[in-house]
Amino acid sequence: RFDINPTTQAVTGSFATLLIGGLLYVICATGIGLLASSFTRSQVAAMFLAMIASIIPATQYSGLLDPVSSMDGVGRFIGSVYPAAHFIDISRGVFNKGLQFADLSGSLRALALAVPVILLLAIALLLLCQALFTYLPMMQTLFATEALSPAAWARIFAFGVVLYELI
Protein backbone atom coordinates (compact mmCIF):
# COMPACT_ATOMS: atom_id res chain seq x y z
CA ARG A 1 0.00 0.00 0.00
CA PHE A 2 1.37 3.35 -1.10
CA ASP A 3 0.14 6.10 1.21
CA ILE A 4 0.99 9.81 0.99
CA ASN A 5 -0.58 12.22 3.42
CA PRO A 6 0.68 15.77 2.70
CA THR A 7 -2.45 17.63 3.86
CA THR A 8 -4.58 15.02 5.60
CA GLN A 9 -5.82 13.82 2.20
CA ALA A 10 -4.65 10.21 1.77
CA VAL A 11 -3.62 8.99 -1.67
CA THR A 12 -3.47 5.23 -1.96
CA GLY A 13 -2.37 2.79 -4.64
CA SER A 14 0.38 0.45 -5.72
CA PHE A 15 3.83 2.05 -5.62
CA ALA A 16 5.29 -0.85 -7.64
CA THR A 17 2.74 -0.22 -10.40
CA LEU A 18 3.57 3.47 -10.46
CA LEU A 19 7.30 2.67 -10.52
CA ILE A 20 6.98 0.18 -13.39
CA GLY A 21 4.71 2.54 -15.34
CA GLY A 22 7.10 5.43 -14.77
CA LEU A 23 10.09 3.39 -15.90
CA LEU A 24 8.30 2.26 -19.06
CA TYR A 25 7.21 5.83 -19.81
CA VAL A 26 10.74 7.20 -19.32
CA ILE A 27 12.05 4.58 -21.75
CA CYS A 28 9.35 5.59 -24.27
CA ALA A 29 10.18 9.29 -23.86
CA THR A 30 13.88 8.54 -24.31
CA GLY A 31 13.05 6.58 -27.45
CA ILE A 32 11.12 9.56 -28.82
CA GLY A 33 14.19 11.71 -28.15
CA LEU A 34 16.39 9.14 -29.91
CA LEU A 35 13.97 9.10 -32.82
CA ALA A 36 14.14 12.91 -33.05
CA SER A 37 17.93 12.93 -32.86
CA SER A 38 18.26 10.40 -35.66
CA PHE A 39 17.13 12.88 -38.31
CA THR A 40 18.13 16.29 -36.99
CA ARG A 41 21.48 17.97 -37.45
CA SER A 42 22.07 19.38 -33.98
CA GLN A 43 21.39 18.54 -30.38
CA VAL A 44 19.35 21.73 -29.95
CA ALA A 45 17.12 20.84 -32.90
CA ALA A 46 16.67 17.30 -31.54
CA MET A 47 15.71 18.63 -28.09
CA PHE A 48 13.25 21.10 -29.63
CA LEU A 49 11.67 18.44 -31.85
CA ALA A 50 11.44 15.94 -28.99
CA MET A 51 9.87 18.62 -26.78
CA ILE A 52 7.27 19.53 -29.42
CA ALA A 53 6.60 15.84 -30.17
CA SER A 54 6.10 15.20 -26.45
CA ILE A 55 4.28 18.25 -25.10
CA ILE A 56 1.62 18.75 -27.78
CA PRO A 57 0.33 15.16 -27.86
CA ALA A 58 0.68 14.85 -24.08
CA THR A 59 -1.53 17.86 -23.43
CA GLN A 60 -3.96 17.63 -26.32
CA TYR A 61 -4.52 13.93 -26.96
CA SER A 62 -3.51 11.94 -23.88
CA GLY A 63 -6.54 12.56 -21.73
CA LEU A 64 -4.84 15.19 -19.58
CA LEU A 65 -7.44 17.85 -20.45
CA ASP A 66 -10.23 15.85 -22.10
CA PRO A 67 -10.85 12.10 -21.79
CA VAL A 68 -9.58 10.07 -24.76
CA SER A 69 -12.97 8.34 -24.89
CA SER A 70 -14.62 11.68 -25.77
CA MET A 71 -12.33 12.30 -28.77
CA ASP A 72 -13.12 11.42 -32.37
CA GLY A 73 -11.11 10.40 -35.41
CA VAL A 74 -7.38 11.06 -35.52
CA GLY A 75 -7.34 12.64 -32.05
CA ARG A 76 -8.74 9.48 -30.50
CA PHE A 77 -6.24 7.32 -32.40
CA ILE A 78 -3.30 9.47 -31.24
CA GLY A 79 -4.65 9.40 -27.70
CA SER A 80 -4.96 5.62 -27.73
CA VAL A 81 -1.42 4.94 -29.01
CA TYR A 82 0.59 7.76 -27.41
CA PRO A 83 2.51 6.56 -24.31
CA ALA A 84 1.62 9.61 -22.19
CA ALA A 85 -2.07 8.66 -22.26
CA HIS A 86 -1.31 5.31 -20.69
CA PHE A 87 1.01 6.79 -18.08
CA ILE A 88 -1.65 9.35 -17.14
CA ASP A 89 -4.11 6.47 -16.69
CA ILE A 90 -1.58 4.70 -14.44
CA SER A 91 -0.81 7.76 -12.32
CA ARG A 92 -4.49 8.69 -11.96
CA GLY A 93 -5.34 5.11 -11.08
CA VAL A 94 -2.61 4.85 -8.44
CA PHE A 95 -3.05 8.29 -6.88
CA ASN A 96 -6.76 8.98 -7.22
CA LYS A 97 -8.38 5.56 -7.23
CA GLY A 98 -5.93 3.39 -5.29
CA LEU A 99 -5.70 0.85 -8.10
CA GLN A 100 -3.29 -2.07 -8.11
CA PHE A 101 -1.19 -3.77 -10.80
CA ALA A 102 -3.98 -6.02 -12.08
CA ASP A 103 -6.36 -3.07 -12.43
CA LEU A 104 -3.89 -1.16 -14.59
CA SER A 105 -2.50 -4.09 -16.58
CA GLY A 106 -3.99 -2.79 -19.85
CA SER A 107 -2.14 0.51 -19.64
CA LEU A 108 1.05 -1.21 -18.50
CA ARG A 109 0.79 -3.66 -21.40
CA ALA A 110 0.33 -0.79 -23.87
CA LEU A 111 3.43 0.98 -22.50
CA ALA A 112 5.42 -2.25 -22.59
CA LEU A 113 4.43 -2.74 -26.25
CA ALA A 114 5.33 0.87 -27.12
CA VAL A 115 8.90 0.51 -25.83
CA PRO A 116 10.23 -1.88 -28.51
CA VAL A 117 8.20 -0.22 -31.27
CA ILE A 118 9.60 3.25 -30.55
CA LEU A 119 13.16 2.05 -29.93
CA LEU A 120 13.24 -0.22 -33.01
CA LEU A 121 11.83 2.58 -35.16
CA ALA A 122 14.54 4.94 -33.90
CA ILE A 123 17.27 2.36 -34.47
CA ALA A 124 15.96 1.55 -37.98
CA LEU A 125 15.86 5.23 -38.93
CA LEU A 126 19.36 5.74 -37.56
CA LEU A 127 20.68 2.74 -39.51
CA LEU A 128 18.96 3.98 -42.67
CA CYS A 129 20.52 7.43 -42.32
CA GLN A 130 23.93 5.86 -41.63
CA ALA A 131 23.62 3.56 -44.64
CA LEU A 132 22.64 6.46 -46.91
CA PHE A 133 25.55 8.51 -45.59
CA THR A 134 28.00 5.65 -46.05
CA TYR A 135 26.89 4.12 -49.35
CA LEU A 136 25.06 6.79 -51.38
CA PRO A 137 27.52 8.03 -54.05
CA MET A 138 26.33 11.63 -53.73
CA MET A 139 27.05 11.59 -49.98
CA GLN A 140 30.44 9.95 -50.53
CA THR A 141 31.38 12.72 -52.94
CA LEU A 142 30.00 15.47 -50.71
CA PHE A 143 31.79 14.29 -47.55
CA ALA A 144 34.83 12.62 -49.19
CA THR A 145 34.04 9.24 -47.66
CA GLU A 146 34.06 5.70 -48.99
CA ALA A 147 32.04 2.59 -48.31
CA LEU A 148 33.18 0.16 -45.63
CA SER A 149 34.63 -3.12 -46.85
CA PRO A 150 33.31 -6.48 -45.58
CA ALA A 151 36.57 -6.89 -43.62
CA ALA A 152 35.93 -3.57 -41.86
CA TRP A 153 32.38 -4.69 -41.02
CA ALA A 154 33.77 -7.94 -39.60
CA ARG A 155 36.19 -6.02 -37.35
CA ILE A 156 33.37 -3.74 -36.17
CA PHE A 157 31.12 -6.71 -35.41
CA ALA A 158 33.91 -8.57 -33.58
CA PHE A 159 34.69 -5.49 -31.48
CA GLY A 160 30.99 -5.16 -30.62
CA VAL A 161 30.79 -8.79 -29.53
CA VAL A 162 33.93 -8.45 -27.36
CA LEU A 163 32.63 -5.24 -25.82
CA TYR A 164 29.25 -6.86 -25.16
CA GLU A 165 30.91 -9.81 -23.43
CA LEU A 166 33.06 -7.50 -21.29
CA ILE A 167 30.14 -5.44 -20.13
Side-chain angles (χ1 to χ4, degrees), residues 89-107:
D89 285 345
I90 292 167
S91 61
R92 280 185 181 152
V94 168
F95 282 104
N96 296 343
K97 300 174 185 175
L99 298 180
Q100 302 299 312
F101 189 88
D103 303 319
L104 296 165
S105 62
S107 292

Side-chain angles (χ1 to χ4, degrees), residues 87-131:
F87 183 66
I88 287 172
D89 285 345
I90 292 167
S91 61
R92 280 185 181 152
V94 168
F95 282 104
N96 296 343
K97 300 174 185 175
L99 298 180
Q100 302 299 312
F101 189 88
D103 303 319
L104 296 165
S105 62
S107 292
L108 288 165
R109 191 176 309 113
L111 276 177
L113 289 173
V115 168
V117 170
I118 292 171
L119 290 179
L120 289 175
L121 186 63
I123 290 168
L125 186 60
L126 187 63
L127 289 174
L128 176 66
C129 290
Q130 184 66 39

Side-chain angles (χ1 to χ4, degrees), residues 60-157:
Q60 297 298 317
Y61 304 113
S62 67
L64 185 64
L65 302 176
D66 299 313
V68 175
S69 60
S70 69
M71 295 180 191
D72 291 329
V74 176
R76 186 175 187 140
F77 175 75
I78 293 170
S80 65
V81 298
Y82 198 71
H86 302 289
F87 183 66
I88 287 172
D89 285 345
I90 292 167
S91 61
R92 280 185 181 152
V94 168
F95 282 104
N96 296 343
K97 300 174 185 175
L99 298 180
Q100 302 299 312
F101 189 88
D103 303 319
L104 296 165
S105 62
S107 292
L108 288 165
R109 191 176 309 113
L111 276 177
L113 289 173
V115 168
V117 170
I118 292 171
L119 290 179
L120 289 175
L121 186 63
I123 290 168
L125 186 60
L126 187 63
L127 289 174
L128 176 66
C129 290
Q130 184 66 39
L132 290 175
F133 178 79
T134 304
Y135 295 105
L136 197 63
M138 179 189 78
M139 299 297 271
Q140 291 175 345
T141 303
L142 185 64
F143 293 103
T145 61
E146 60 184 45
L148 295 173
S149 68
W153 277 113
R155 287 191 306 271
I156 292 168
F157 182 75

Side-chain angles (χ1 to χ4, degrees), residues 2-69:
F2 179 49
D3 190 359
I4 298 177
N5 192 356
T7 60
T8 70
Q9 187 72 26
V11 179
T12 59
S14 169
F15 180 72
T17 303
L18 184 63
L19 187 66
I20 292 168
L23 178 66
L24 289 171
Y25 181 69
V26 165
I27 294 170
C28 287
T30 303
I32 291 170
L34 180 63
L35 189 62
S37 70
S38 65
F39 61 91
T40 56
R41 289 184 162 188
S42 69
Q43 183 179 5
V44 172
M47 288 186 334
F48 183 74
L49 183 62
M51 180 183 64
I52 295 298
S54 297
I55 291 175
I56 291 175
T59 57
Q60 297 298 317
Y61 304 113
S62 67
L64 185 64
L65 302 176
D66 299 313
V68 175
S69 60

